[in-house]
Amino acid sequence: MYRIIIAGPKGPWGEYTIAPTDEASVFFSSEQAQCVISLDPSTIDQCDGIVIPGGVPDVDPTFYGEQNNGSGPLDPEMDRLQFAMIDRAVKLHKPMIGFCRGMQLINVYFGGTLIQDIGCKDAHRYKPGAPIFHEINNIPGSFMYELYGARMKGNSGHHQALKDIPECFRLSQVWCPDNETAEKYIKLAQNGTLHTGNDSCIPEAVYHVNYPIIGLQWHPELAGELYCKHLDLNKIRDYFYNMIENCKSESIN
């Protein structure tokens, strides 16, 4: 059985923090996997995979060398704890997946930056009672294209996005406002030359070229009105299981 760490707070944490760690634990738990919620880096040593959950607060922009220009609320202490979890996982070459804020934390850890307040947020912000499910373009040759084909719908609930994306990452999904714009950015992503997000191209999924690390800007783990009922979400869970299995096989060989 796989042991997966959900790297976030268990229960209440700060005045503004909303970290769906329980939802992530339920999503990845099965007959094949047991999940533990923890912010203790030492737990990474004996795990098979790590999940960096989404939620609030925003990543403190001081961690990527910028002044606050639309970020908030902030919780630098939680940032530091989750960065420590990411650091330990990277050093031990553990498979890792990040959702929303989790993907943003991973991007910042590797030297990237964030758009602190996207101009296209009306197409992405979560609206209680009226959740947004928008079209996402999957990049040919990438893991999301393999799972879902050229286009799919994903839920949305964020006002920030990846801006500067390190060379060690490739994009697997992008949101664009129209098909013509999407065609341009899909080609750049497919060529491996797209390393900047903007209001016309929101990175929705990334993968590391050397480490077993992926990130999704959307939330496959959420239920309720944000549940992606039009997708087979088991594909995401099983893909992460396969990442874990591949790493275990490599370590044996």
Side-chain angles (χ1 to χ4, degrees):
M1 177 174 282
Y2 306 136
R3 187 170 190 265
I4 297 174
I5 299 297
I6 313 297
K10 185 175 179 60
W13 179 282
E15 184 178 358
Y16 301 105
T17 298
I18 303 171
T21 51
D22 288 333
E23 291 85 344
S25 179
V26 169
F27 182 76
F28 284 106
S29 295
S30 70
E31 293 181 354
Q32 293 177 256
Q34 178 186 34
C35 293
V36 176
I37 299 171
S38 174
L39 281 169
D40 179 358
S42 68
T43 61
I44 303 295
D45 294 46
Q46 301 303 319
C47 83
D48 298 303
I50 175 173
V51 179
I52 313 298
V56 179
D58 291 338
V59 181
D60 190 330
T62 59
F63 285 104
Y64 48 93
E66 292 187 8
Q67 298 294 317
N68 192 329
N69 188 27
S71 294
L74 304 175
D75 188 337
E77 178 59 21
M78 193 167 85
D79 293 343
R80 282 190 285 270
L81 290 168
Q82 290 183 302
F83 279 133
M85 298 292 280
I86 294 170
D87 183 65
R88 188 62 180 165
V90 170
K91 287 177 177 175
L92 294 176
H93 214 271
K94 299 287 186 177
M96 179 162 41
I97 184 171
F99 296 146
C100 197
R101 165 186 161 86
M103 181 175 87
Q104 295 169 7
L105 280 163
I106 291 169
N107 187 66
V108 171
Y109 171 85
F110 281 98
T113 66
L114 305 178
I115 304 171
Q116 294 192 43
D117 194 32
I118 57 178
C120 55
K121 54 181 169 286
D122 284 346
H124 297 271
R125 188 194 298 274
Y126 169 57
K127 301 175 182 178
I132 293 174
F133 294 86
H134 58 55
E135 293 285 339
I136 303 175
N137 304 283
N138 297 327
I139 309 304
S142 73
F143 75 96
M144 290 304 294
Y145 192 96
E146 173 189 332
L147 296 181
Y148 294 111
R151 289 173 69 85
M152 53 168 273
K153 280 188 176 181
N155 56 25
S156 195
H158 61 102
H159 78 106
Q160 299 194 320
L162 305 194
K163 182 172 65 175
D164 297 311
I165 303 167
E167 291 287 333
C168 58
F169 282 103
R170 297 290 183 270
L171 273 70
S172 187
Q173 292 183 312
V174 294
W175 170 90
C176 298
D178 55 71
N179 291 336
E180 183 178 354
T181 303
E183 183 177 350
K184 177 180 73 172
Y185 285 110
I186 289 170
K187 288 180 180 177
L188 291 173
Q190 193 171 7
N191 293 334
T193 57
L194 182 57
H195 290 282
T196 305
N198 58 62
D199 288 342
S200 294
C201 177
I202 300 296
E204 293 281 349
V206 298
Y207 62 98
H208 200 287
V209 297
N210 296 315
Y211 288 97
I213 299 172
I214 60 176
L216 306 179
Q217 183 57 61
W218 52 287
H219 290 270
E221 84 283 16
L222 292 184
E225 62 180 3
L226 281 171
Y227 176 61
C228 293
K229 60 186 177 184
H230 45 277
L231 293 176
D232 180 359
L233 297 173
N234 288 327
K235 291 183 177 182
I236 298 293
R237 186 189 65 187
D238 292 343
Y239 187 84
F240 190 57
Y241 286 177
N242 287 336
M243 289 171 61
I244 291 173
E245 189 60 35
N246 290 338
C247 282
K248 291 171 73 73
S249 298
E250 289 173 4
S251 65
I252 292 174
N253 296 331

